[in-house]
Amino acid sequence: MPRVIAPSMLSADFGHLERDCRMVNRSVAGWFHLDIMDGMFVPNISFGFPVCKAIAQVAEKPLDAHLMIVEPWRYIERFAALGVKYLSVHYEACSDRHLKECIKLIHDCGMGAGIAINPETPAEVLIPYLRQIEYVVVMGVHPGYSGQKYIPETTEKVAVLAEMIAGAEVDCFIQVDGGVSTANIAELERLGAGVFVAGSATFSSDDPLSAIKALKTV
Ligand code: DX5
Ligand code: ZN
Protein backbone atom coordinates (compact mmCIF):
# COMPACT_ATOMS: atom_id res chain seq x y z
CA MET A 1 0.00 0.00 0.00
CA PRO A 2 1.18 3.58 -0.54
CA ARG A 3 2.46 5.13 2.68
CA VAL A 4 -0.36 6.68 4.73
CA ILE A 5 0.38 9.44 7.25
CA ALA A 6 -2.24 9.81 9.99
CA PRO A 7 -1.70 12.93 12.10
CA SER A 8 -2.80 12.36 15.71
CA MET A 9 -5.25 15.13 16.55
CA LEU A 10 -4.34 14.77 20.22
CA SER A 11 -1.31 16.92 19.42
CA ALA A 12 -3.35 19.58 17.61
CA ASP A 13 -4.00 23.02 19.10
CA PHE A 14 -7.51 22.60 20.56
CA GLY A 15 -7.96 26.35 20.60
CA HIS A 16 -7.62 26.23 16.81
CA LEU A 17 -9.00 22.79 16.10
CA GLU A 18 -10.82 23.73 12.92
CA ARG A 19 -7.68 25.40 11.54
CA ASP A 20 -5.62 22.29 12.30
CA CYS A 21 -8.23 20.00 10.71
CA ARG A 22 -8.23 22.12 7.57
CA MET A 23 -4.44 21.94 7.51
CA VAL A 24 -4.67 18.13 7.51
CA ASN A 25 -7.27 18.34 4.71
CA ARG A 26 -4.84 20.39 2.61
CA SER A 27 -1.84 18.20 3.42
CA VAL A 28 -0.64 14.93 1.92
CA ALA A 29 -1.84 13.08 5.04
CA GLY A 30 -4.18 10.16 4.38
CA TRP A 31 -6.19 9.84 7.59
CA PHE A 32 -7.09 11.65 10.80
CA HIS A 33 -6.05 9.67 13.91
CA LEU A 34 -8.26 10.11 17.00
CA ASP A 35 -6.73 8.99 20.31
CA ILE A 36 -9.43 8.12 22.83
CA MET A 37 -8.18 7.68 26.42
CA ASP A 38 -10.36 6.99 29.43
CA GLY A 39 -8.08 7.38 32.45
CA MET A 40 -8.58 3.65 33.14
CA PHE A 41 -6.87 1.63 30.42
CA VAL A 42 -4.27 4.39 30.33
CA PRO A 43 -3.58 6.97 33.06
CA ASN A 44 -4.49 9.92 30.86
CA ILE A 45 -7.83 11.25 29.60
CA SER A 46 -7.90 12.76 26.10
CA PHE A 47 -11.22 13.74 24.50
CA GLY A 48 -14.57 12.23 23.69
CA PHE A 49 -17.53 12.45 21.34
CA PRO A 50 -18.06 16.24 21.17
CA VAL A 51 -14.48 16.80 20.03
CA CYS A 52 -14.63 13.84 17.62
CA LYS A 53 -17.83 15.31 16.18
CA ALA A 54 -16.19 18.71 15.69
CA ILE A 55 -13.30 17.03 13.85
CA ALA A 56 -15.67 14.86 11.77
CA GLN A 57 -17.58 17.93 10.61
CA VAL A 58 -14.45 19.44 9.07
CA ALA A 59 -12.43 16.35 8.09
CA GLU A 60 -12.38 15.43 4.40
CA LYS A 61 -10.29 12.29 4.93
CA PRO A 62 -11.02 8.99 6.72
CA LEU A 63 -11.17 9.05 10.51
CA ASP A 64 -9.22 6.38 12.39
CA ALA A 65 -10.22 5.99 16.05
CA HIS A 66 -7.78 4.34 18.46
CA LEU A 67 -9.64 3.30 21.61
CA MET A 68 -7.33 3.17 24.61
CA ILE A 69 -10.25 2.40 26.89
CA VAL A 70 -11.67 -0.44 28.94
CA GLU A 71 -14.80 -2.17 27.63
CA PRO A 72 -14.39 -0.69 24.13
CA TRP A 73 -17.36 -2.65 22.79
CA ARG A 74 -19.71 -0.24 24.62
CA TYR A 75 -18.76 2.66 22.31
CA ILE A 76 -18.17 1.14 18.88
CA GLU A 77 -21.57 2.06 17.44
CA ARG A 78 -21.24 5.66 18.58
CA PHE A 79 -17.93 6.07 16.76
CA ALA A 80 -19.47 4.57 13.63
CA ALA A 81 -22.35 7.05 13.88
CA LEU A 82 -19.80 9.89 13.81
CA GLY A 83 -18.49 8.63 10.48
CA VAL A 84 -15.35 6.86 11.73
CA LYS A 85 -13.98 4.52 9.02
CA TYR A 86 -11.28 2.60 10.92
CA LEU A 87 -11.46 1.63 14.57
CA SER A 88 -8.90 -0.16 16.70
CA VAL A 89 -9.30 -1.66 20.17
CA HIS A 90 -6.53 -2.86 22.45
CA TYR A 91 -5.71 -6.55 22.81
CA GLU A 92 -4.90 -5.90 26.47
CA ALA A 93 -8.36 -4.43 27.15
CA CYS A 94 -10.29 -7.49 25.97
CA SER A 95 -10.73 -11.21 26.54
CA ASP A 96 -10.70 -13.44 23.45
CA ARG A 97 -14.51 -13.46 23.44
CA HIS A 98 -14.65 -9.69 23.72
CA LEU A 99 -12.12 -9.21 20.95
CA LYS A 100 -14.19 -11.38 18.62
CA GLU A 101 -17.34 -9.47 19.59
CA CYS A 102 -15.61 -6.14 18.97
CA ILE A 103 -14.38 -7.25 15.54
CA LYS A 104 -17.88 -8.39 14.57
CA LEU A 105 -19.47 -5.18 15.82
CA ILE A 106 -16.89 -3.01 14.05
CA HIS A 107 -17.60 -4.88 10.80
CA ASP A 108 -21.37 -4.82 11.29
CA CYS A 109 -21.05 -1.03 11.59
CA GLY A 110 -19.21 -0.92 8.25
CA MET A 111 -15.78 0.02 9.64
CA GLY A 112 -12.32 -1.52 9.22
CA ALA A 113 -11.22 -3.36 12.37
CA GLY A 114 -7.82 -3.07 14.00
CA ILE A 115 -6.21 -4.61 17.08
CA ALA A 116 -3.54 -2.58 18.87
CA ILE A 117 -0.78 -4.10 20.99
CA ASN A 118 1.25 -2.44 23.72
CA PRO A 119 5.08 -2.48 23.60
CA GLU A 120 5.32 -5.40 26.05
CA THR A 121 2.77 -7.53 24.17
CA PRO A 122 4.36 -10.00 21.72
CA ALA A 123 3.28 -9.94 18.09
CA GLU A 124 2.31 -13.64 18.23
CA VAL A 125 -0.85 -12.96 20.25
CA LEU A 126 -2.35 -11.55 17.05
CA ILE A 127 -2.02 -14.77 15.05
CA PRO A 128 -5.57 -16.03 15.80
CA TYR A 129 -7.11 -12.74 14.65
CA LEU A 130 -5.14 -11.87 11.50
CA ARG A 131 -7.73 -13.41 9.21
CA GLN A 132 -10.54 -11.41 10.80
CA ILE A 133 -9.12 -7.88 10.91
CA GLU A 134 -8.06 -5.20 8.43
CA TYR A 135 -5.07 -3.93 10.41
CA VAL A 136 -2.85 -4.27 13.43
CA VAL A 137 -1.52 -1.33 15.44
CA VAL A 138 2.00 -1.68 16.79
CA MET A 139 2.57 0.82 19.58
CA GLY A 140 5.96 2.48 19.37
CA VAL A 141 5.48 4.01 22.84
CA HIS A 142 3.49 3.12 25.95
CA PRO A 143 -0.02 4.35 25.19
CA GLY A 144 -1.28 7.36 27.10
CA TYR A 145 0.75 10.36 25.99
CA SER A 146 2.04 11.92 22.81
CA GLY A 147 5.59 13.15 22.44
CA GLN A 148 7.33 10.10 23.92
CA LYS A 149 10.57 8.60 22.68
CA TYR A 150 10.25 5.74 20.17
CA ILE A 151 10.95 2.30 21.69
CA PRO A 152 13.56 0.74 19.35
CA GLU A 153 12.32 -2.86 19.82
CA THR A 154 9.17 -1.82 17.93
CA THR A 155 11.11 -2.08 14.67
CA GLU A 156 11.78 -5.80 15.15
CA LYS A 157 8.15 -6.37 16.12
CA VAL A 158 7.01 -4.82 12.83
CA ALA A 159 9.33 -7.16 10.93
CA VAL A 160 7.98 -10.19 12.83
CA LEU A 161 4.38 -9.14 12.18
CA ALA A 162 5.02 -8.53 8.50
CA GLU A 163 6.38 -12.07 8.22
CA MET A 164 3.43 -13.49 10.13
CA ILE A 165 1.00 -11.67 7.84
CA ALA A 166 2.82 -12.81 4.70
CA GLY A 167 3.01 -16.38 6.04
CA ALA A 168 -0.71 -16.45 6.81
CA GLU A 169 -1.46 -15.01 3.33
CA VAL A 170 -3.92 -12.50 4.75
CA ASP A 171 -4.74 -8.98 3.69
CA CYS A 172 -3.90 -7.06 6.85
CA PHE A 173 -1.90 -3.87 7.04
CA ILE A 174 0.37 -2.64 9.81
CA GLN A 175 -0.04 0.73 11.50
CA VAL A 176 2.75 2.07 13.72
CA ASP A 177 1.62 4.50 16.43
CA GLY A 178 3.88 6.49 18.72
CA GLY A 179 7.32 7.96 18.26
CA VAL A 180 7.13 7.92 14.46
CA SER A 181 9.41 10.48 12.80
CA THR A 182 11.43 11.06 9.65
CA ALA A 183 14.24 9.17 11.42
CA ASN A 184 12.41 5.82 11.51
CA ILE A 185 9.50 5.94 9.04
CA ALA A 186 11.36 4.73 5.93
CA GLU A 187 12.82 1.73 7.77
CA LEU A 188 9.42 0.82 9.24
CA GLU A 189 7.87 0.99 5.78
CA ARG A 190 10.65 -1.13 4.29
CA LEU A 191 9.90 -3.78 6.91
CA GLY A 192 6.20 -3.86 6.03
CA ALA A 193 4.29 -1.10 7.84
CA GLY A 194 1.87 1.00 5.76
CA VAL A 195 0.13 3.50 8.05
CA PHE A 196 2.03 5.87 10.32
CA VAL A 197 0.52 7.88 13.14
CA ALA A 198 2.38 11.11 13.79
CA GLY A 199 1.42 13.43 16.63
CA SER A 200 4.39 15.50 17.68
CA ALA A 201 6.21 14.95 14.37
CA THR A 202 3.29 16.83 12.79
CA PHE A 203 2.14 19.42 15.27
CA SER A 204 5.32 20.39 17.08
CA SER A 205 6.61 21.73 13.78
CA ASP A 206 6.25 25.42 12.89
CA ASP A 207 5.26 24.23 9.43
CA PRO A 208 3.05 21.15 9.86
CA LEU A 209 2.23 20.95 6.14
CA SER A 210 5.90 20.53 5.31
CA ALA A 211 6.37 18.17 8.28
CA ILE A 212 3.65 15.87 6.92
CA LYS A 213 5.16 16.09 3.45
CA ALA A 214 8.55 15.12 4.85
CA LEU A 215 7.03 12.11 6.63
CA LYS A 216 5.34 11.06 3.41
CA THR A 217 8.38 11.38 1.19
CA VAL A 218 11.50 10.74 3.26
C1 DX5 B 1 -0.18 7.30 22.26
C2 DX5 B 1 -1.15 7.61 21.11
C3 DX5 B 1 -0.42 8.10 19.91
C4 DX5 B 1 0.35 9.36 20.18
C5 DX5 B 1 1.16 9.75 18.98
O1 DX5 B 1 -0.91 6.92 23.35
O2 DX5 B 1 -1.87 6.48 20.75
O3 DX5 B 1 -1.29 8.23 18.80
O4 DX5 B 1 -0.46 10.41 20.60
O5 DX5 B 1 1.94 10.83 19.35
P1 DX5 B 1 3.49 10.92 18.94
O6 DX5 B 1 3.53 10.80 17.45
O7 DX5 B 1 3.89 12.26 19.47
O8 DX5 B 1 4.19 9.78 19.63
ZN1 ZN C 1 -3.02 6.43 18.74
Side-chain angles (χ1 to χ4, degrees), residues 102-176:
C102 283
I103 294 165
K104 182 172 183 319
L105 195 49
I106 294 168
H107 286 157
D108 287 349
C109 289
M111 298 183 287
I115 300 181
I117 53 171
N118 283 344
E120 61 277 6
T121 302
E124 288 72 18
V125 302
L126 294 172
I127 291 174
Y129 307 102
L130 289 179
R131 215 164 279 285
Q132 305 162 43
I133 57 179
E134 279 65 44
Y135 65 114
V136 299
V137 183
V138 182
M139 295 304 301
V141 300
H142 294 284
Y145 301 91
S146 59
Q148 300 178 74
K149 204 168 151 292
Y150 178 76
I151 298 170
E153 288 77 15
T154 310
T155 308
E156 176 61 20
K157 198 190 271 189
V158 167
V160 168
L161 256 168
E163 270 182 33
M164 277 167 34
I165 288 168
E169 294 182 10
V170 291
D171 201 10
C172 182
F173 60 81
I174 300 173
Q175 174 180 107
V176 184

Side-chain angles (χ1 to χ4, degrees), residues 8 10-11 33-37 42 66 68 90 139 141-149 177-180 197-202:
S8 166
L10 181 59
S11 296
H33 185 80
L34 307 178
D35 282 307
I36 311 300
M37 305 176 182
V42 291
H66 173 200
M68 288 162 276
H90 264 267
M139 295 304 301
V141 300
H142 294 284
Y145 301 91
S146 59
Q148 300 178 74
K149 204 168 151 292
D177 183 7
V180 170
V197 176
S200 37
T202 300

Side-chain angles (χ1 to χ4, degrees), residues 17-157:
L17 187 54
E18 180 175 354
R19 178 201 67 191
D20 284 359
C21 289
R22 293 199 192 285
M23 181 282 295
V24 176
N25 285 342
R26 284 200 315 278
S27 77
V28 293
W31 298 358
F32 287 75
H33 185 80
L34 307 178
D35 282 307
I36 311 300
M37 305 176 182
D38 65 353
M40 298 287 287
F41 180 72
V42 291
N44 198 16
I45 296 176
S46 59
F47 53 80
F49 295 115
V51 172
C52 290
K53 189 174 170 195
I55 295 170
Q57 280 168 346
V58 182
E60 293 168 356
K61 297 176 179 183
L63 303 180
D64 165 39
H66 173 200
L67 305 194
M68 288 162 276
I69 65 175
V70 298
E71 302 186 357
W73 52 90
R74 294 170 58 202
Y75 302 100
I76 289 169
E77 282 148 312
R78 290 191 63 188
F79 282 102
L82 285 176
V84 167
K85 288 280 175 292
Y86 296 92
L87 187 138
S88 61
V89 299
H90 264 267
Y91 172 83
E92 300 84 2
C94 298
S95 65
D96 173 61
R97 180 173 67 84
H98 282 138
L99 268 182
K100 287 183 177 134
E101 282 174 12
C102 283
I103 294 165
K104 182 172 183 319
L105 195 49
I106 294 168
H107 286 157
D108 287 349
C109 289
M111 298 183 287
I115 300 181
I117 53 171
N118 283 344
E120 61 277 6
T121 302
E124 288 72 18
V125 302
L126 294 172
I127 291 174
Y129 307 102
L130 289 179
R131 215 164 279 285
Q132 305 162 43
I133 57 179
E134 279 65 44
Y135 65 114
V136 299
V137 183
V138 182
M139 295 304 301
V141 300
H142 294 284
Y145 301 91
S146 59
Q148 300 178 74
K149 204 168 151 292
Y150 178 76
I151 298 170
E153 288 77 15
T154 310
T155 308
E156 176 61 20
K157 198 190 271 189

